[in-house]
């Protein structure tokens, strides 16, 4: 019986780990699967786990006392130690680049437990962009025993860091598995299941879907993004609706509501559950984001995406022509978004579906690798 402990802390981790957890459960005769939620994102994590019908065996409620990144990391290490000691798993599975991932990899390493790193090998090669994610995934990469790389480029990054080739497996990204499942459940774009604010929009209104919450964009960069959104709403009044899903981090929430709360043509919504997000993705015309996950999801649905960052660890979609880096300069954002809103040819070139991050079978490959690992 293979014992696997999957540790998730944030919404993106839960989305990408849910297909893997469900695949582990399919092998109930050979695998004992346990799930630990650190709840680094309390509300948003719970939403995703509910949608995918994943019930954690442990809930550490990490943010009940921790506020700073250091406090979160310290609390995660302290609270994970007894969980790992009680379960004594053969593998600890982590996904991505959050503080939960880094702490879980360290805790497993200290306990002498093998670490499997899902979505391994992503790099910007700049420890400050994104921060602290670039550092977190490098730490996890140093400690992992198996690296589940989403793409060949991610695999090559790991090989250049002297990770043995037999410990790296290109699996695709399980976000594609999750998106395909939720896309079917979401049905057609729009309709009665939309949030009330969107059901009231006149038919034919083009939606520009926005998320912006990266730590490095706090302050002046986020203010520049908000001014660009206000200008786009003004310029395309009556045709375009800017829908901004505003992260609850106070730095983001205050800035967005101060600069856009009364802007015509702009709808500010709290973070959506994953099923609603998929519905919004299917309905929208264009995506503006500094998020990592949306850079993977939007191309699958043929939605052009502008990245509100200067660097990305996901260059595959940029090279495929469906994602473009535009940074946080107000004029640049308005210029690039306007080009997609005005020019049918430009839009058509960027709106071809591209499955550069997998074929929807990543979870199966990950679990097969765990089951066939020697020892």
């Amino acid at each position: 019986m293979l014992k696997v402990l999957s540790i998730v802390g944030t919404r993106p981790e839960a989305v990408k780990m849910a297909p893997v957890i469900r695949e582990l459960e399919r092998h109930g005769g050979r695998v004992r699967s346990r799930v630990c939620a650190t709840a680094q994102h309390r509300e948003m994590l719970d939403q995703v786990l509910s949608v995918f019908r994943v019930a954690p065996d442990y809930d550490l409620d990490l943010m009940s006392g921790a506020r700073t990144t250091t406090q979160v990391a310290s609390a995660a290490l302290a609270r994970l130690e007894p969980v790992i000691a009680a379960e004594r798993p053969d593998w600890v599975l982590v996904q991505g680049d959050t503080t939960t991932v880094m702490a879980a990899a360290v805790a497993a390493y200290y306990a002498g437990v093998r670490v499997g790193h899902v979505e391994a090998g992503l790099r910007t090669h700049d420890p400050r962009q994104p921060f602290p994610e670039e550092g977190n995934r490098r730490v996890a990469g140093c400690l992992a025993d198996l690296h589940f790389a989403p793409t060949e480029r991610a695999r090559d990054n790991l090989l250049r860091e002297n990770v043995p080739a037999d410990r790296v497996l290109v699996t695709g990204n399980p976000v594609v598995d999750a998106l395909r499942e939720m896309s079917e459940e979401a049905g057609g774009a729009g309709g009665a299941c939309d949030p009330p604010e969107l059901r009231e929009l006149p038919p034919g209104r083009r939606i520009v879907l926005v998320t912006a919450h990266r730590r490095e964009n706090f302050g002046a960069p986020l203010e520049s993004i908000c001014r660009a959104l206000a200008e786009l709403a003004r310029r395309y009044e009556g045709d375009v609706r800017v829908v901004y899903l505003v992260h609850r981090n106070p730095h983001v929430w205050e800035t967005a509501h101060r600069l856009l709360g009364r802007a015509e043509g702009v709808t500010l919504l709290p973070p959506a559950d994953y099923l609603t997000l998929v519905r919004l993705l299917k309905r929208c015309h264009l995506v503006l984001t500094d998020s990592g996950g949306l850079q993977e999801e939007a191309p699958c649905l043929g939605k052009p995406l502008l990245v509100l960052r200067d660097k990305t660890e996901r260059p595959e979609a940029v090279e495929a022509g469906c994602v473009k880096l535009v940074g946080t300069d107000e004029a640049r954002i308005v210029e690039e978004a306007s080009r997609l809103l005005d020019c049918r040819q430009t839009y058509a070139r960027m709106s071809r579906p591209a499955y550069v991050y997998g074929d929807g079978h990543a979870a199966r490959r990950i679990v097969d690798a765990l089951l066939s690992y020697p020892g």
Side-chain angles (χ1 to χ4, degrees):
M1 181 71 70
L2 186 73
K3 296 180 290 185
V4 181
L5 176 64
S6 301
I7 300 175
V8 297
T10 67
R11 169 189 173 140
E13 291 168 73
V15 169
K16 296 176 181 182
M17 282 297 291
V20 180
I21 293 167
R22 305 249 297 253
E23 182 67 18
L24 287 167
E25 291 170 349
R26 285 187 58 249
H27 294 268
R30 302 174 63 193
V31 176
R32 191 186 75 182
S33 173
R34 296 289 186 268
V35 179
C36 176
T38 70
Q40 186 178 330
H41 287 173
R42 176 79 274 171
E43 181 181 350
M44 292 186 286
L45 175 69
D46 291 346
Q47 287 176 346
V48 171
L49 293 176
S50 175
V51 166
F52 284 97
R53 298 176 289 280
V54 172
D57 300 283
Y58 299 89
D59 189 324
L60 304 186
D61 199 19
L62 200 61
M63 303 305 287
S64 59
R67 291 294 178 266
T68 69
T69 304
T70 300
Q71 290 170 350
V72 172
S74 176
L77 276 170
R79 298 184 194 186
L80 283 167
E81 182 180 30
V83 173
I84 295 173
E87 286 296 326
R88 302 184 64 179
D90 299 301
W91 288 93
V92 162
L93 280 188
V94 295
Q95 185 282 321
D97 52 25
T98 68
T99 302
T100 285
V101 170
M102 182 274 294
V106 172
Y109 170 73
Y110 285 167
V113 175
R114 289 179 295 206
V115 176
H117 189 197
V118 179
E119 197 185 65
L122 275 63
R123 299 289 186 270
T124 64
H125 306 290
D126 181 343
R128 289 284 163 182
Q129 294 194 55
F131 175 85
E133 289 82 5
E134 180 76 3
N136 287 339
R137 57 181 166 238
R138 290 194 184 202
V139 171
C142 287
L143 301 178
D145 297 273
L146 272 181
H147 305 255
F148 302 113
T151 64
E152 293 289 345
R153 183 186 294 270
R155 176 182 182 273
D156 291 344
N157 287 337
L158 292 165
L159 296 182
R160 281 193 292 270
E161 294 171 6
N162 297 317
V163 175
D166 61 356
R167 289 168 52 189
V168 183
L169 177 66
V170 178
T171 60
N173 197 315
V175 73
V176 181
D177 306 33
L179 181 63
R180 285 190 165 182
E181 178 182 343
M182 286 298 108
S183 185
E184 292 177 5
E185 192 167 334
C193 294
D194 277 345
E197 295 87 346
L198 300 187
R199 292 202 295 267
E200 298 169 1
L201 291 181
R205 188 73 61 94
R206 293 187 290 176
I207 293 175
V208 175
L209 181 62
V210 183
T211 71
H213 62 268
R214 283 288 183 190
R215 192 182 304 264
E216 59 267 29
N217 282 345
F218 288 177
L222 184 57
E223 292 180 353
S224 177
I225 291 169
C226 289
R227 289 194 297 269
L229 299 179
E231 171 58 22
L232 285 170
R234 184 201 62 78
R235 182 176 295 192
Y236 295 94
E237 183 180 359
D239 175 33
V240 167
R241 188 77 180 185
V242 175
V243 177
Y244 184 177
L245 303 179
V246 185
H247 198 284
R248 294 192 183 279
N249 184 293
H251 295 284
V252 179
W253 189 268
E254 187 280 330
T255 301
H257 283 81
R258 171 167 50 86
L259 296 179
L260 297 171
R262 298 183 179 180
E264 292 292 331
V266 177
T267 297
L268 300 181
L269 296 176
D273 65 76
Y274 192 62
L275 189 57
T276 300
L277 176 63
V278 173
R279 289 192 180 106
L280 287 169
L281 274 172
K282 295 178 76 171
R283 182 174 175 183
C284 77
H285 187 75
L286 167 66
V287 182
L288 276 64
T289 189
D290 60 9
S291 163
L294 281 171
Q295 294 180 53
E296 300 155 344
E297 292 155 334
C300 295
L301 297 174
K303 303 297 180 176
L305 185 143
L306 302 179
V307 181
L308 306 173
R309 291 161 56 180
D310 296 319
K311 296 182 180 180
T312 181
E313 60 277 78
R314 296 168 172 85
E316 293 88 351
V318 176
E319 293 169 355
C322 48
V323 168
K324 190 169 187 178
L325 282 166
V326 300
T328 60
D329 178 73
E330 176 185 351
R332 176 82 188 282
I333 295 169
V334 172
E335 176 189 359
E336 296 292 350
S338 297
R339 183 175 290 117
L340 284 164
L341 291 166
D342 292 337
C343 180
R344 291 183 179 179
Q345 290 80 7
T346 300
Y347 186 86
R349 284 196 297 270
M350 288 189 69
S351 60
R352 293 188 294 268
Y355 290 93
V356 293
Y357 297 109
D359 58 5
H361 299 288
R364 176 179 54 77
R365 295 187 183 100
I366 290 167
V367 174
D368 285 350
L370 294 175
L371 286 168
S372 61
Y373 192 83

